[in-house]
């Protein structure tokens, strides 16, 4: 763990509209990985209501704030077998729903932040040709693995690898729980818009700041802050505006279960406020299957009744 004074930080403007006018929104620490003792600040843009980390760690600190035990590098090891089985089922249903959206024939697909390529693998199993499946990821290890499996893997930020991708050719691009981590989300959407063919679909899944759990835990403990790794947090309006400003049409907005954020909110409260290590350890969103079921069910019912959850899916199309 590094102390507050040692982390290199930079002051930034709003990642959506680039305004520098903001007001305090929340503060907290890295309650999940304890990578530093820094007290981080979330501010809200007064012009577009984007909630963003400011100041935030400089890019030189990425290796610190994403430690080797970060969950997405070790997914299969940290998640309980029952939760993994359920997630697998849900993800397969998700992939099938994408095929319905974009059509299976000659699908040219890109997963930005593809991790170990689980969605590429699922699409391949459903009959999509590997040479049409692309994944972009920061981890060289993941990309080497993808290439060895016959997929198209590109290592780096989407802005940097754009020249190596077929512009205007993609039927479907997915950006799942990624846009909130990047330094310039507007630039990222602009690149993805250029990569889509006419009629092509962009699916974005990201936290939503207008929901019940945010209201309850807003000042410090909401799990969606993921201090200090979530840099921009959207709502349906400013995300839709950003997508439309880049030439895409919003087709639908859906609210998905946010079980991880519920459990992490309680975990952070138990750890920081109640100082209960025992309770905090029990509130583990990768292992606590009963709580996962309860909060998934709770949010599914709420979404069905028309309430917003703190996890949203925006589907956009290039005209
Ligand atoms: Zn803004």
């Amino acid at each position: 763990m590094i102390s507050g004074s040692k982390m290199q930080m930079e002051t930034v403007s709003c990642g959506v509209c680039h305004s520098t006018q903001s007001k305090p929104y929340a503060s907290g620490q890295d309650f999940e990985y304890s990578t530093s003792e820094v007290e981080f600040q979330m501010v809200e843009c007064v012009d577009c209501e984007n909630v963003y980390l400011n100041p935030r760690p400089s890019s030189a600190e990425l290796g610190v704030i994403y430690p080797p035990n970060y969950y997405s590098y070790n997914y299969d090891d940290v998640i309980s077998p029952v939760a993994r089985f359920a997630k697998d089922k849900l993800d397969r249903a998700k992939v099938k729903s994408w095929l319905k959206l974009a059509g299976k024939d000659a699908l040219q697909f890109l997963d930005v932040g593809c991790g170990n390529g689980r969605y590429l693998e699922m699409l391949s199993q459903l009959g999509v040709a590997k040479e049409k499946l692309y994944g972009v990821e920061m981890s060289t290890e993941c990309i080497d693995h993808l290439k060895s499996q016959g997929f198209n893997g590109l290592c780096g930020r989407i802005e940097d690898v754009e020249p190596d991708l077929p512009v205007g050719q993609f039927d479907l691009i997915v950006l799942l729980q990624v846009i909130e981590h990047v330094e310039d989300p507007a630039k990222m959407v602009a690149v993805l818009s250029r990569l889509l063919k006419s009629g092509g679909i962009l699916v974005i899944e990201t936290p939503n700041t207008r929901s019940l759990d945010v209201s309850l835990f807003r000042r410090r403990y909401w799990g969606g802050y993921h201090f200090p790794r979530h840099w921009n947090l959207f709502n349906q309006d400013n995300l839709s505006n950003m997508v439309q400003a880049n030439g895409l049409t919003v087709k639908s907005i859906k609210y998905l279960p946010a079980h991880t954020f519920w459990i992490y909110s309680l975990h952070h409260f138990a750890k920081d406020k109640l100082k209960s290590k025992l309770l905090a350890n029990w509130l583990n969103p990768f292992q606590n299957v009963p709580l996962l079921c309860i909060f998934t069910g709770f949010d599914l019912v709420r979404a069905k009744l028309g309430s917003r959850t703190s996890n949203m899916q925006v589907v956009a199309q290039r005209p």
Side-chain angles (χ1 to χ4, degrees):
M1 187 200 281
I2 64 171
S3 76
S5 55
K6 281 192 186 142
M7 183 171 272
Q8 283 181 48
M9 304 281 278
E10 59 184 19
T11 304
V12 293
S13 56
C14 170
V16 175
C17 74
H18 301 112
S19 165
T20 52
Q21 303 296 308
S22 65
K23 55 186 182 190
Y25 193 80
S27 65
Q29 298 181 352
D30 185 348
F31 298 123
E32 289 163 53
Y33 295 92
S34 304
T35 54
S36 74
E37 295 167 338
V38 179
E39 179 75 10
F40 295 100
Q41 310 293 326
M42 281 282 177
V43 298
E44 184 183 40
C45 173
V46 297
D47 292 313
C48 77
E49 292 184 11
N50 176 41
V51 173
Y52 61 102
L53 192 68
N54 196 23
R56 70 187 181 201
S58 72
S59 46
E61 303 287 359
L62 289 179
V64 173
I65 67 172
Y66 292 97
N69 63 332
Y70 189 58
Y71 78 96
S72 71
Y73 302 152
N74 307 279
Y75 207 81
D76 289 345
D77 301 330
V78 296
I79 191 167
S80 89
V82 181
R84 189 167 56 205
F85 177 79
K87 182 169 165 44
D88 219 55
K89 285 260 174 225
L90 292 170
D91 283 347
R92 278 178 201 282
K94 185 185 286 197
V95 167
K96 283 182 184 162
S97 76
W98 294 340
L99 290 178
K100 246 187 210 164
L101 273 174
K104 191 174 167 181
D105 296 333
L107 179 81
Q108 188 110 337
F109 172 84
L110 168 64
D111 183 354
V112 182
C114 63
N116 62 6
R118 56 188 276 113
Y119 293 117
L120 302 181
E121 192 62 56
M122 285 180 189
L123 283 165
S124 158
Q125 284 167 7
L126 288 166
V128 181
K130 282 188 175 178
E131 60 267 25
K132 297 208 171 250
L133 297 172
Y134 289 74
V136 172
E137 175 56 59
M138 297 296 286
S139 150
T140 43
E141 226 177 308
C142 288
I143 292 303
D144 289 345
H145 169 74
L146 283 189
K147 286 181 173 169
S148 73
Q149 300 296 307
F151 297 107
N152 298 288
L154 294 105
C155 188
R157 301 180 312 169
I158 190 73
E159 300 95 296
D160 302 329
V161 301
E162 185 187 4
D164 301 320
L165 286 162
V167 172
Q169 297 293 314
F170 285 96
D171 301 279
L172 179 60
I173 300 177
V174 299
L175 188 60
L176 310 180
Q177 311 299 335
V178 167
I179 196 168
E180 64 276 11
H181 289 262
V182 307
E183 54 194 273
D184 195 338
K187 196 173 180 181
M188 177 177 238
V189 172
V191 173
L192 299 182
S193 177
R194 283 196 288 274
L195 292 172
L196 283 173
K197 66 162 66 158
S198 175
I201 299 281
L202 171 65
V203 178
I204 303 176
E205 289 181 10
T206 190
N208 160 43
T209 54
R210 288 186 191 154
S211 63
L212 177 64
D213 45 323
V214 183
S215 308
L216 293 173
F217 298 101
R218 182 181 73 83
R219 285 172 184 274
R220 188 165 182 81
Y221 298 119
W222 181 48
Y225 294 135
H226 199 37
F227 289 114
R229 289 162 289 267
H230 281 180
W231 289 1
N232 291 278
L233 293 163
F234 306 86
N235 58 57
Q236 70 167 59
D237 294 333
N238 58 26
L239 184 58
S240 300
N241 290 342
M242 190 170 77
V243 162
Q244 281 161 348
N246 285 289
L248 303 174
T249 309
V250 173
K251 285 195 75 180
S252 68
I253 299 171
K254 218 166 101 178
Y255 292 93
L256 312 171
H259 38 75
T260 308
F261 293 162
W262 276 110
I263 300 173
Y264 262 141
S265 302
L266 295 170
H267 165 273
H268 302 347
F269 183 80
K271 182 177 178 176
D272 187 63
K273 186 82 176 174
L274 306 179
K275 310 276 182 224
S276 170
K277 236 181 164 171
L278 199 71
L279 185 58
N281 285 342
W282 181 73
L283 291 161
N284 179 330
F286 303 105
Q287 294 288 335
N288 194 322
V289 176
L291 278 186
L292 279 171
C293 294
I294 289 170
F295 284 116
T296 302
F298 182 57
D299 269 359
L300 280 173
V301 170
R302 291 176 58 239
K304 200 111 192 144
L305 296 173
S307 294
R308 292 166 178 165
T309 69
S310 59
N311 186 13
M312 64 181 164
Q313 181 199 66
V314 172
V315 174
Q317 185 167 37
R318 191 174 172 87

